[in-house]
Amino acid sequence: MVVIIGATGFIGMYTVERMIAAGKKVVATGRNKKVAHILTNMGAEFVELDITKREDFDKLPTENIEGVILLAGLLPANAKVDLTKDENAGDYFVVNVLGTINVLEYCRKNGIKKVINCSSYSDVSGAWKKGVAIKETEPRNFKFTGDHAVYVISKNAAIDVMEYYNQQHDMQCACFRFPPVYGVGPHSTIYVNGKSYKSGIQTFIEQAQKGEPIEIWGDPHICRDIIYVKDVATAFVKALDSDKTKGLYNMTSGTELDLEDQVKAVIEVFGGEKKSEIIYRPDKPNNTPSFLFDMTKAKEDFGFVPEYTSYIDIMKDYKRELESGRWDILVDSRKKD
């Protein structure tokens, strides 16, 4: 049996589906009851759970549990706080650190060794550069300003606590370091410093569908290393099945995806008869840096090799998933997991 905490988010949904396809019994938890029926229709048992409430863990099974996947957390993209007027630092620690400890205590008390959490790729943002693959051994290097700062600090603290449980209580905790994860979900709109914005991928798709011009600001050959949600789900299954899984893992495609190529792929897949014209605007700033991560450790420890390393393949599958209609309620959901 596998317990997936935070299963009502889009990564959780795909992970539940993949676990069940792998023959595992799944207990799926979350706070968004609106989408719970999707999980039960897949064959999972749904339990409403808030990781900040220790008493909620009494609802979970205590025997025959292979491991726990922890996806619940507070992210800047879901935080409506304007940091120029208010501060939500404490919220990140309550959810991402104390919530993680509640999960670890549930596991420790019930003899569950394996826990896989997730963290931010921004913890090494100071080392990002084109063509240089960052390894897990890279020292932490990030900015202590902006709406991602305390999020990264809280995630680093959670990783450190998990390592404490590994050494103090002989557990097998691991953490996946995620870049942007692409896939169908409720993230067409995100928050940046408390202000709502349409996401870049959603903007490009809508412009391509209408045949409108698409502007590329700054360097058109910025390269980013992203990952598709189906690869993430596969990685969780493989990591759970391996006795070597432990510690921090980069969880990306390990591939540099060029911004211009990404736009061209969106136009090809989502465009109609009238194809969007690409307008290059080097005069407009684009603060997105290039970054690349080394995937050797995940391959060696649990045999993970990403399937979706071509952006056009990602977009083709993304479109199929959108048009299937099976995620419509998830796309429309705006409640935090």
Side-chain angles (χ1 to χ4, degrees):
M1 181 189 301
V2 179
V3 177
I4 300 177
I5 297 176
T8 52
F10 89 107
I11 295 177
M13 291 283 188
Y14 278 96
T15 301
V16 169
E17 183 178 59
R18 183 68 184 86
M19 289 286 181
I20 291 173
K24 300 181 185 294
K25 183 178 180 180
V26 175
V27 175
T29 87
R31 295 191 299 157
N32 190 351
K33 294 187 291 184
K34 185 178 180 180
V35 300
H37 71 278
I38 300 178
L39 296 164
T40 55
N41 288 344
M42 288 180 185
E45 176 187 348
F46 178 75
V47 176
E48 186 179 359
L49 183 142
D50 183 338
I51 62 171
T52 66
K53 298 178 180 178
R54 186 172 295 182
E55 63 273 16
D56 275 13
F57 289 85
D58 294 337
K59 304 174 186 177
L60 297 179
T62 59
E63 296 180 349
N64 301 317
I65 300 169
E66 183 179 350
V68 173
I69 308 296
L70 175 53
L71 295 168
L74 177 60
L75 286 75
N78 296 334
K80 301 179 182 181
V81 177
D82 181 351
L83 293 180
T84 64
K85 301 176 181 178
D86 203 354
E87 180 56 70
N88 64 338
D91 296 338
Y92 284 108
F93 278 82
V94 169
V95 177
N96 296 340
V97 182
L98 295 179
T100 296
I101 292 172
N102 287 338
V103 173
L104 293 169
E105 277 297 282
Y106 157 70
C107 293
R108 182 187 66 81
K109 291 175 181 177
N110 294 291
I112 304 165
K113 294 289 187 180
K114 294 183 179 180
V115 181
I116 305 175
N117 199 352
C118 52
S119 68
S120 170
Y121 69 134
S122 294
D123 66 332
V124 289
S125 58
W128 291 350
K129 59 183 66 176
K130 196 170 185 178
V132 178
I134 296 172
K135 297 185 177 182
E136 289 84 355
T137 53
E138 181 73 27
R140 290 170 180 168
N141 184 351
F142 61 93
K143 293 181 180 179
F144 282 80
T145 56
D147 67 342
H148 272 66
V150 177
Y151 167 68
V152 172
I153 294 167
S154 71
K155 281 296 187 177
N156 286 344
I159 292 172
D160 291 344
V161 170
M162 293 176 76
E163 182 58 28
Y164 164 77
Y165 272 75
N166 281 347
Q167 296 190 31
Q168 180 68 23
H169 299 295
D170 193 30
M171 290 181 63
Q172 192 179 340
C173 298
C175 189
F176 284 180
R177 176 196 272 153
F178 286 135
V181 179
Y182 277 38
V184 178
H187 41 254
S188 59
T189 300
I190 61 175
Y191 289 91
V192 178
N193 197 24
K195 187 175 180 181
S196 176
Y197 292 91
K198 189 172 290 185
S199 66
I201 181 62
Q202 185 66 26
T203 300
F204 286 162
I205 288 173
E206 290 180 6
Q207 289 173 329
Q209 289 172 331
K210 296 174 184 177
E212 297 176 348
I214 298 177
E215 292 188 355
I216 297 181
W217 293 6
D219 181 2
H221 300 297
I222 291 169
C223 291
R224 301 195 306 158
D225 184 357
I226 64 173
I227 190 167
Y228 192 49
V229 65
K230 289 186 177 180
D231 278 336
V232 170
T234 297
F236 277 125
V237 174
K238 288 182 173 291
L240 203 62
D241 286 344
S242 174
D243 289 334
K244 293 182 179 180
T245 303
K246 195 172 186 179
L248 179 65
Y249 291 91
N250 292 331
M251 191 44 58
T252 70
S253 66
T255 304
E256 292 183 299
L257 299 174
D258 181 273
L259 176 58
E260 182 183 58
D261 290 341
Q262 291 178 47
V263 173
K264 288 179 178 178
V266 171
I267 293 171
E268 179 176 338
V269 174
F270 287 93
E273 290 185 9
K274 181 185 177 183
K275 299 297 184 183
S276 296
E277 175 189 3
I278 298 176
I279 299 177
Y280 297 91
R281 296 296 306 271
D283 56 306
K284 287 200 170 185
N286 184 341
N287 296 322
T288 302
S290 296
F291 53 85
L292 175 66
F293 288 84
D294 185 281
M295 291 297 297
T296 303
K297 186 180 177 185
K299 182 178 181 180
E300 290 179 347
D301 285 4
F302 47 88
F304 174 69
V305 177
E307 177 182 355
Y308 294 88
T309 57
S310 161
Y311 197 77
I312 195 163
D313 288 343
I314 291 174
M315 286 296 98
K316 286 178 179 178
D317 195 76
Y318 191 106
K319 185 180 182 183
R320 283 194 293 268
E321 292 291 283
L322 275 174
E323 293 178 345
S324 73
R326 69 194 190 113
W327 305 116
D328 285 354
I329 192 171
L330 181 62
V331 172
D332 293 336
S333 172
R334 288 298 177 266
K335 293 182 178 180
K336 289 183 294 185
D337 188 47

